[in-house]
Amino acid sequence: MNVIPMSVAFYNSFTDFNLLYPKDTKFIGLENFEKLFTIKAVEIDAEGEYYHVLLEEKLIPIYQFSIRGIKYAVGAREPLFWKSIYNTLFIIIIGLPLQIAIAFIISYLVSTDRLAIGIFRSLIYLPVLVPPVVVGVVWKIVLNPRFGPVNAALGRLWIDGPNWSRDPAWTKPAIILIMLWSVGGSMLILMAAIKDVPKDYYEAAELDGANWIQKMTRITIPLTSPAILFVTITGIIFGFQTFTIPYVYSGPTGQPDDSLLFFTMNLYNHAVAYNNMGKASALGVVLFLITMAFTFLILRFSRQFVYYRS
Amino acid sequence: MTHLPIVKRSHLSKHIRNILFYALLVLLGVLFIYPLLFMFGISLVPASEVIQVPPPLMGSRLAFENYVRAIAREPYIRPLVSTLVIIGLGTFGNTLASTMAAYSFARLKWPGKDIFFIISLGTIMVPYVLTMVPLFVFWSRLGMIHAQPPAFLLGIFTKVPGVVGSGLIYLVSLFWGSIPLWLVYFGGSAYDIFLLRQFMRSIPQELFDVAEVDGASDWQIFWKIMVPLSRPAIIIVVLFHIVFMWHDLLGPLLYLSGDYATLSQSLQRFSGSIHLPPPWEQILAYSVLVTLPLLLMFLFFQRYFINGISLTGMKE
């Protein structure tokens, strides 16, 4: 059922298909991909000529760096594409490990069958059910710098709270914080795995005089590693598809300063605002390949760490 | 005698550890529930008191008029009907297709089964947006974006008089206009197929052997044995699909507009349009109305949500 539209998407990615002029569609080979990936580094000279050099090739400066005292500017044909990749990787590389670590700690706490523990499991799981649109709306108010309770609480600790929605440096941390709110799903998966660890392993370790750190690193983490791997891979797959929360939190173009323009939002804009289905399909293909590459890398990398009981 | 103090101390430290444990849990619980309390709280604070900095979680009285005003600004009943109809159709299709596919993967023998199973598992990695674009093109070629139902279909219902008639016309238009949204789910979903297959494989083979000896067809075995026995797994698939579709914004944004918008879309429209000053209390009241049905569902099916995860087959 997915295979047919997928093949069509692959085919469309090699065309300049525009929904408004479907009859003018031409096969353009790899041009869509070429445009996306065109980047060039130019040395920055004192006169500022480099800017014109880049613009002549329709390149827009996106980044500057220096090697051995010589400054270079990097230009790209599609600056928003690179920005969206940077933003998406930012929340995956920084946000996902945080999410998993917090989910693991919480699931460890709620994995024992103690009195009233079910209530806490439900309380922590509840945010998962809140629709992402509501999540975006509510957190936008909660994080409001003047009005919201988060900065009010920070103020009470004599911390000057940041502007979570206007300061480009703080918008992505805000999204990471918001996503941490719904770690309940991962928590339940990890909890099921932690509960499955046989009790006698711990008892044997205790007899040998192991402390809790040793029990954690030698028993709990290795035996739950398949679940950790599962949460990591699904986290990456869904992380690359982040859409609704930033869309509601900051609008379709991910302002301020494109700091919340994620990969899927960029694709959506190409498809819906510009009707450029060829470009949108090419972006979809790139997203698919990136997701696959990450998944296989993680699977490969995990072989040394993941322990399967058989 | 020398043992006594040691025993006492460990007893005491156990108490302290228990207290610390629950203190930590209560702190976590409060942190996680706070944004929801904030939403419920502010939605009931009178408009004149919300503008205080910081806003009080409890007003001088419960301002239910916030809800009335929110619904007056942004309609609620039609989006609710819209959401329910689309979710009903989509969830029905997904459950039926996934259950049948899972049965075929778990019990039947046919050539190429294993390859098909691996392909269908691989589609979990396919991003939603990759298939979204060609499907959108497909439906727009058929003229199904914001489409009205064909005249003959409407003609049947224009003869029905009064409110019933206009209600029926609305439902038929909704059904027709949302075809691109719900029809895709009649292909089933890889994740649900996998979950159901794992569950079905755990059902003892003897049951099926007995039925086969009695001359039951595959079709009968499916409906009379497999479906009833897989009930817990099917309920989980249904619940998670309802939540998934309730959360979806991208799909409705592409295919629905105006009168047929879903609740997620309406809230997005309401909160995104510019009001000065923004009526926070009304936006949050509307948010409560969008969230509440799911929270009620959680209340009734709590154990399926909490324990369902251990059924999802990822243990293998």
Side-chain angles (χ1 to χ4, degrees):
Chain A
M1 202 50 195
N2 256 321
V3 177
I4 299 166
M6 218 177 109
S7 336
V8 178
F10 271 90
Y11 175 75
N12 281 343
S13 70
F14 299 117
T15 67
D16 62 350
F17 181 27
N18 187 307
L19 201 57
L20 297 181
Y21 318 102
K23 296 221 174 75
D24 297 344
T25 304
K26 288 190 303 291
F27 188 81
I28 54 169
L30 288 170
E31 202 183 302
N32 282 327
F33 297 97
E34 227 179 283
K35 270 190 196 156
L36 289 177
F37 286 103
T38 305
I39 46 168
K40 190 179 179 182
V42 188
E43 197 183 316
I44 300 182
D45 46 347
E47 292 88 37
E49 271 300 309
Y50 77 96
Y51 205 84
H52 299 288
V53 173
L54 286 177
L55 284 184
E56 258 168 38
E57 295 183 43
K58 290 186 187 161
L59 298 170
I60 297 155
I62 54 168
Y63 185 65
Q64 294 190 352
F65 65 97
S66 63
I67 304 173
R68 296 203 200 95
I70 305 168
K71 276 186 176 172
Y72 294 92
V74 180
R77 277 290 275 285
E78 299 266 348
L80 288 183
F81 169 71
W82 294 100
K83 188 79 188 180
S84 73
I85 287 194
Y86 170 75
N87 290 340
T88 311
L89 285 179
F90 187 98
I91 60 156
I92 289 178
I93 290 171
I94 296 177
L96 189 60
L98 263 175
Q99 272 177 40
I100 294 173
I102 288 175
F104 191 87
I105 294 168
I106 295 175
S107 58
Y108 191 76
L109 287 176
V110 299
S111 62
T112 47
D113 283 315
R114 292 214 223 180
L115 186 71
I117 206 89
I119 297 170
F120 293 104
R121 283 178 199 155
S122 296
L123 281 184
I124 294 166
Y125 182 73
L126 218 49
V128 177
L129 292 176
V130 178
V133 181
V134 176
V135 174
V137 167
V138 170
W139 276 89
K140 197 171 179 168
I141 301 173
V142 170
L143 289 177
N144 185 304
R146 199 178 59 83
F147 175 98
V150 168
N151 277 14
L154 287 176
R156 218 162 278 168
L157 300 169
W158 293 281
I159 300 170
D160 206 7
N163 192 329
W164 300 93
S165 57
R166 294 280 166 77
D167 182 353
W170 282 97
T171 47
K172 277 189 282 291
I175 294 291
I176 289 174
L177 182 70
I178 294 170
M179 285 175 154
L180 283 179
W181 190 44
S182 33
V183 292
S186 313
M187 172 198 80
L188 288 184
I189 292 173
L190 294 171
M191 186 187 83
I194 292 175
K195 273 182 161 182
D196 266 6
V197 177
K199 291 265 182 314
D200 30 327
Y201 285 27
Y202 294 116
E203 281 158 18
E206 265 163 37
L207 282 181
D208 289 345
N211 59 30
W212 71 270
I213 298 175
Q214 284 167 326
K215 279 191 278 181
M216 184 60 107
T217 54
R218 302 281 168 81
I219 300 174
T220 318
I221 292 178
L223 285 179
T224 54
S225 54
I228 297 174
L229 176 68
F230 178 82
V231 173
T232 311
I233 288 178
T234 48
I236 287 175
I237 292 175
F238 291 118
F240 273 111
Q241 301 186 47
T242 309
F243 179 83
T244 310
I245 291 175
Y247 183 93
V248 175
Y249 188 79
S250 72
T253 54
Q255 298 309 321
D257 200 17
D258 306 317
S259 62
L260 287 182
L261 182 77
F262 292 101
F263 200 101
T264 320
M265 289 161 76
N266 189 32
L267 189 156
Y268 176 83
N269 292 339
H270 275 290
V272 175
Y274 313 133
N275 288 303
N276 192 339
M277 295 301 164
K279 177 69 74 56
S281 300
L283 284 169
V285 170
V286 170
L287 179 60
F288 179 53
L289 295 179
I290 295 179
T291 313
M292 286 249 286
F294 263 84
T295 310
F296 282 118
L297 270 179
I298 297 272
L299 279 177
R300 199 62 206 267
F301 180 69
S302 69
R303 269 186 215 163
Q304 294 153 24
F305 301 99
V306 175
Y307 173 84
Y308 291 100
R309 259 183 304 161
S310 48
Chain B
M1 280 300 277
T2 47
H3 287 308
L4 203 62
I6 299 170
V7 171
K8 251 189 174 170
R9 207 178 69 197
S10 78
H11 195 70
L12 195 71
S13 85
K14 204 181 165 195
H15 264 300
I16 291 173
R17 266 164 58 185
N18 256 331
I19 291 169
L20 279 177
F21 175 78
Y22 278 102
L24 190 60
L25 275 188
V26 169
L27 180 71
L28 277 171
V30 169
L31 277 179
F32 273 84
I33 211 66
Y34 181 80
L36 284 178
L37 286 182
F38 182 83
M39 174 176 82
F40 278 104
I42 302 286
S43 78
L44 286 169
V45 171
S48 57
E49 294 167 38
V50 169
I51 43 174
Q52 295 170 29
V53 178
L57 272 188
M58 286 279 277
S60 54
R61 61 190 175 81
L62 294 178
F64 289 105
E65 77 268 15
N66 292 343
Y67 284 79
V68 180
R69 284 188 192 148
I71 293 177
R73 277 206 197 185
E74 183 68 42
Y76 179 70
I77 299 300
R78 277 199 171 186
L80 180 66
V81 172
S82 225
T83 309
L84 291 177
V85 166
I86 296 167
I87 289 181
L89 290 163
T91 304
F92 170 75
N94 176 65
T95 312
L96 186 71
S98 299
T99 313
M100 281 165 68
Y103 172 62
S104 133
F105 282 130
R107 291 286 166 196
L108 303 184
K109 288 190 180 72
W110 42 281
K113 188 175 91 168
D114 293 338
I115 296 169
F116 261 90
F117 185 64
I118 288 168
I119 292 177
S120 91
L121 263 189
T123 58
I124 290 179
M125 266 193 299
V126 178
Y128 185 44
V129 286
L130 180 63
T131 51
M132 173 193 95
V133 173
L135 286 174
F136 183 72
V137 172
F138 174 75
W139 291 113
S140 75
R141 285 264 171 102
L142 289 180
M144 287 295 293
I145 312 288
H146 313 320
Q148 283 294 316
F152 75 88
L153 206 61
L154 276 181
I156 302 169
F157 295 101
T158 42
K159 296 198 178 72
V160 184
V163 190
V164 180
S166 55
L168 280 174
I169 289 175
Y170 171 73
L171 283 179
V172 170
S173 309
L174 172 64
F175 173 85
W176 191 264
S178 61
I179 285 177
L181 265 182
W182 53 261
L183 194 65
V184 279
Y185 296 117
F186 277 72
S189 89
Y191 201 80
D192 293 340
I193 293 172
F194 183 64
L195 188 156
L196 288 163
R197 173 183 170 267
Q198 295 304 97
F199 190 87
M200 287 175 177
R201 275 157 60 107
S202 68
I203 298 171
Q205 180 66 37
E206 291 81 42
L207 282 169
F208 303 96
D209 294 340
V210 171
E212 252 171 61
V213 168
D214 287 348
S217 67
D218 285 340
W219 193 245
Q220 282 173 320
I221 291 178
F222 175 69
W223 285 111
K224 297 271 167 65
I225 301 177
M226 198 50 112
V227 170
L229 285 180
S230 309
R231 226 186 71 158
I234 293 175
I235 292 176
I236 286 163
V237 166
V238 168
L239 291 176
F240 277 98
H241 203 262
I242 292 174
V243 173
F244 168 75
M245 286 187 75
W246 196 284
H247 284 189
D248 188 19
L249 177 69
L250 193 49
L253 274 182
L254 286 176
Y255 296 112
L256 301 177
S257 67
D259 276 352
Y260 308 106
T262 62
L263 283 174
S264 280
Q265 239 177 316
S266 300
L267 174 60
Q268 195 263 326
R269 193 163 58 194
F270 188 21
S271 73
S273 49
I274 294 162
H275 316 276
L276 281 173
W280 297 125
E281 71 290 349
Q282 289 174 33
I283 293 174
L284 289 173
Y286 201 88
S287 302
V288 169
L289 292 175
V290 176
T291 316
L292 207 58
L294 287 183
L295 296 187
L296 288 178
M297 198 170 87
F298 177 74
L299 218 59
F300 284 114
F301 296 98
Q302 203 165 353
R303 73 196 171 94
Y304 288 99
F305 279 103
I306 297 288
N307 302 323
I309 301 292
S310 47
L311 260 175
T312 48
M314 37 82 32
K315 285 185 183 170
E316 292 194 13

